[in-house]
Amino acid sequence: MSSGLKKRETFSSGIAVFFATLGSAVGLGNIWKFPYLTGVFGGGAFLLVYVLCVIFVGIPVMLAEFFIGRNTRSNVIGAFKKLAPGTMWKHVGTMGVGAAYLIMFFYSCVAGWVYYYLFKSLRGDFVGITTESAKTQFAQTVIGPLTPIIWQIIVMVVVGAILIMGVQKGIERVTKTLMPVLFLLIVICDIRALTLPNAFEGVRFLFNVDFSKLSAVAILTALGLAFFKLSLGMGTMVTYGSYFTKGNNLFRTAASVAFSDTLVSVLAGLAIFPAVFAFGMKPGAGPGLLFMTIPLVFSKMPFGNQLLVAFFFLSSIAATTAMLSLVEVLVAYHTEEFNISRRTASIVNSLIIVVIGSTAALSVDPSSLLGSIKFMGKGFFDWYDYISSNILLPVGGFFIAIFVGYIMKQKAVLDELSNSSPKLAVATKIYLFILKTITPVLLIIIFLNSIGVINFK
Ligand code: TRP
C-alpha cells in the first residue's frame, strides 16, 4: 500500500527534471555501443535511421511512461495498480522491477571496471603501455577475482549513498552538478582528438553516409539501441516522471533529453574514432574499445594521461547517473509498497545487487568456476543482459504503448500530456496516433527478431 502520510518528493524545477532524466539516458551505452554501431552500420545513414527510431518509438514510449508516472505519482507497480486496479496490468510493473535488477547485475560490474580504470589512470598505470600490456591490464581488471568485486561494491556504495540522500538532495543535486561536468570533459576530449593528424579518417568512419550497409539488421539494431539509450520499457521514466513538476512540458523534456543524449553519443564518437584512426588502430566494440584501445591510443598523445583521467571520469559519471535511475525504480517500489524507509530500501537493494551481481563479475573469466557454467552457450553476465535487453525491455515497451494508447481514457492522456493547454493538443494527438500504430508494430518486430523467431540477414 502506498503511504499517504509522507509527502512525496518531486524534483524542484524544470532544469532539475531535464538533468535527472538526461542522467538516466546518458550511460555506458553512449560510450561503448553507440559510436561503434554507428561506424559499422553505415555512419551517417545509421544515424539517420537512429534518429527516426528515436522519433517514432523512443519519444512516444517516453511520453507514455511520463504520463503513467506523473498522473499517478507512484512507483512503477503502484502506478499500474492505480490506473487499472485489480487487473494483470500491474505485471508490466513487475517485469520492470525484474528488468531493473537484471540490468543492474551486469551494469554495476562494468561500472566497477570503469571506476577502477579511473583509479588506474589517476595512478598513472597507462603511461607508456603497449598492446600487450593493455591486454594484461584489462585481464587483471576483469579476472580478479577480488578486484572486480571490490570495485562493484564501491560502485554500489556510491549509488546507494546518493539514493539514501533522496530525490532532491541526492539524484537532483548529483545530476545537476555532474552532467555539465560530463559535457565539458567530453568537449575537451573532442578538441584533442580532432586536432590530431589524420583525425579526419575517424570522422569519416562515423559520418560517411553509406546506405549499402543499412541492412534490416542495422535498422533493428538502431531500434534496440534507441530503446536502451533512452532507458525505456521498464519504468525508469515512469518513476522519474512521478517526480516531475506539475507544469513541466513533457514534450519539451522528452525532445530535449532525446536530442542531448544523441549529441553526447556523437561527441563520444568524435572523441574516440579520430584518435583510434590517428594511431592506425582498428575500431572495435564493447570492452575491447573502452578498456584496451582507448588507454592505448590516448596514452600516445601529448597530455594523454590527463585525457584518460578526463575520459574515465566522464564515463564514471555517465554510468553512475544511469544507475541512479535504475535503482531508484527499486527504491521507490519498496518504500511505497512495503512502507520501509528510503534508507533501508537503498541499502537492501544495493546489497542484493552486489551479491547477485557478483555472479556476473565472476562469470567473465572462462577458467573460473562461475565462468564455466553456461546455459545454452551463455554465462551469467550474458543471460542478465539478454533477458533484460532482448526480452523484458521490448515486451515492456510494447505493453506500455498499448496501455496508454488503448486502455487509458484518451482524454486523461491528452490532458496530462498537454498540461490541458490547447497549444499542445495537436502535438499530443499526433503522438497518440504514432503510439497506437507505428510504435507497437516496430516493437513486436524487434522482439521477434531478438528472440530469433524472425531472422533478418
Ligand atoms: N540509458 C542508459 C545507457 O545508455 C542505461 C539505462 C539506464 C537503462 N536506465 C535504463 C537502459 C533503463 C534500459 C532501461 O547506458
Side-chain angles (χ1 to χ4, degrees):
M1 283 297 108
S2 59
S3 125
L5 295 174
K6 274 176 278 169
K7 195 170 171 307
R8 209 165 182 277
E9 270 195 279
T10 60
F11 293 124
S12 67
S13 64
I15 291 289
V17 163
F18 170 73
F19 279 124
T21 312
L22 183 63
S24 169
V26 170
L28 293 169
N30 303 60
I31 292 159
W32 81 6
K33 273 198 177 149
F34 185 102
Y36 172 74
L37 293 174
T38 305
V40 171
F41 285 119
F46 182 81
L47 203 58
L48 188 75
V49 174
Y50 176 80
V51 170
L52 291 175
C53 293
V54 167
I55 294 174
F56 288 106
V57 185
I59 294 181
V61 175
M62 196 188 281
L63 285 168
E65 293 201 25
F66 287 169
F67 160 76
I68 297 172
R70 198 175 65 174
N71 193 264
T72 58
R73 300 255 177 229
S74 293
N75 67 88
V76 62
I77 295 182
F80 280 100
K81 284 198 206 158
K82 273 193 190 163
L83 291 174
T87 63
M88 296 287 273
W89 282 103
K90 65 170 183 281
H91 292 306
V92 177
T94 316
M95 272 181 2
V97 167
Y101 278 117
L102 292 171
I103 296 175
M104 278 308 296
F105 293 156
F106 70 89
Y107 208 95
S108 61
C109 159
V110 182
W113 304 344
V114 172
Y115 274 33
Y116 184 47
Y117 263 56
L118 171 61
F119 173 76
K120 280 164 78 66
S121 60
L122 283 165
R123 202 167 59 177
D125 282 9
F126 302 116
V127 176
I129 54 166
T130 59
T131 311
E132 272 316 300
S133 61
K135 272 196 195 132
T136 324
Q137 296 211 27
F138 180 56
Q140 282 163 353
T141 303
V142 301
I143 286 177
L146 229 48
T147 315
I149 304 288
I150 289 172
W151 287 93
Q152 195 172 19
I153 293 174
I154 295 175
V155 163
M156 289 318 297
V157 169
V158 172
V159 171
I162 298 171
L163 290 177
I164 288 176
M165 292 189 261
V167 173
Q168 279 193 12
K169 293 211 176 86
I171 301 173
E172 173 174 330
R173 205 171 45 164
V174 166
T175 49
K176 234 161 73 178
T177 318
L178 292 182
M179 292 313 286
V181 174
L182 179 151
F183 192 78
L184 188 73
L185 290 175
I186 214 164
V187 170
I188 294 175
C189 291
D190 281 332
I191 294 173
R192 176 63 275 204
L194 289 172
T195 48
L196 289 168
N198 238 341
F200 190 67
E201 189 91 18
V203 179
R204 205 163 53 195
F205 176 74
L206 204 55
F207 289 119
N208 188 22
V209 179
D210 182 353
F211 278 100
S212 73
K213 290 196 190 137
L214 208 59
S215 56
V217 177
I219 296 173
L220 287 173
T221 305
L223 211 50
L225 181 64
F227 225 60
F228 186 86
K229 280 284 348 85
L230 297 175
S231 309
L232 300 173
M234 49 144 289
T236 302
M237 295 305 176
V238 172
T239 308
Y240 272 18
S242 76
Y243 303 133
F244 282 10
T245 43
K246 187 135 191 40
N248 188 270
N249 180 334
L250 301 175
F251 281 93
R252 191 179 303 151
T253 301
S256 50
V257 165
F259 173 81
S260 312
D261 177 67
T262 308
L263 179 68
V264 169
S265 297
V266 170
L267 290 177
L270 285 176
I272 297 168
F273 292 119
V276 170
F277 282 97
F279 292 100
M281 303 274 303
K282 286 232 169 353
L289 176 69
L290 190 52
F291 298 106
M292 292 188 279
T293 313
I294 288 174
L296 198 60
V297 296
F298 276 41
S299 69
K300 293 189 178 160
M301 333 172 181
F303 299 108
N305 204 57
Q306 284 88 329
L307 279 173
L308 270 180
V309 172
F311 189 85
F312 283 109
F313 185 46
L314 81 86
S315 304
S316 304
I317 296 176
T320 306
T321 56
M323 288 184 292
L324 290 180
S325 72
L326 282 157
V327 187
E328 179 60 24
V329 170
L330 305 169
V331 171
Y333 166 58
H334 286 126
T335 48
E336 291 172 10
E337 302 293 309
F338 300 99
N339 244 327
I340 55 177
S341 71
R342 239 194 121 74
R343 194 185 177 80
T344 313
S346 308
I347 295 173
V348 169
N349 280 305
S350 302
L351 265 175
I352 296 175
I353 291 163
V354 163
V355 171
I356 308 184
S358 66
T359 58
L362 294 173
S363 70
V364 175
D365 173 11
S367 65
S368 69
L369 175 64
L370 281 178
S372 66
I373 302 176
K374 298 235 188 285
F375 316 94
M376 297 160 66
K378 284 190 179 65
F380 287 96
F381 187 114
D382 295 335
W383 271 113
Y384 299 145
D385 182 11
Y386 181 81
I387 297 173
S388 53
S389 314
N390 293 23
I391 299 176
L392 295 177
L393 296 185
V395 172
F398 172 78
F399 282 118
I400 288 168
I402 297 295
F403 186 71
V404 174
Y406 291 95
I407 309 290
M408 285 290 91
K409 284 212 186 70
Q410 297 303 284
K411 170 105 178 43
V413 181
L414 206 69
D415 285 349
E416 186 75 54
L417 288 181
S418 64
N419 293 333
S420 306
S421 110
K423 266 206 305 215
L424 283 174
V426 177
T428 311
K429 283 193 182 130
I430 295 173
Y431 259 101
L432 275 174
F433 175 74
I434 298 174
L435 187 72
K436 286 176 155 171
T437 51
I438 306 177
T439 311
V441 172
L442 289 176
L443 282 168
I444 294 210
I445 298 174
I446 346 183
F447 173 63
L448 293 180
N449 178 70
S450 66
I451 61 167
V453 172
I454 45 175
N455 214 337
F456 292 108
K457 276 270 152 29

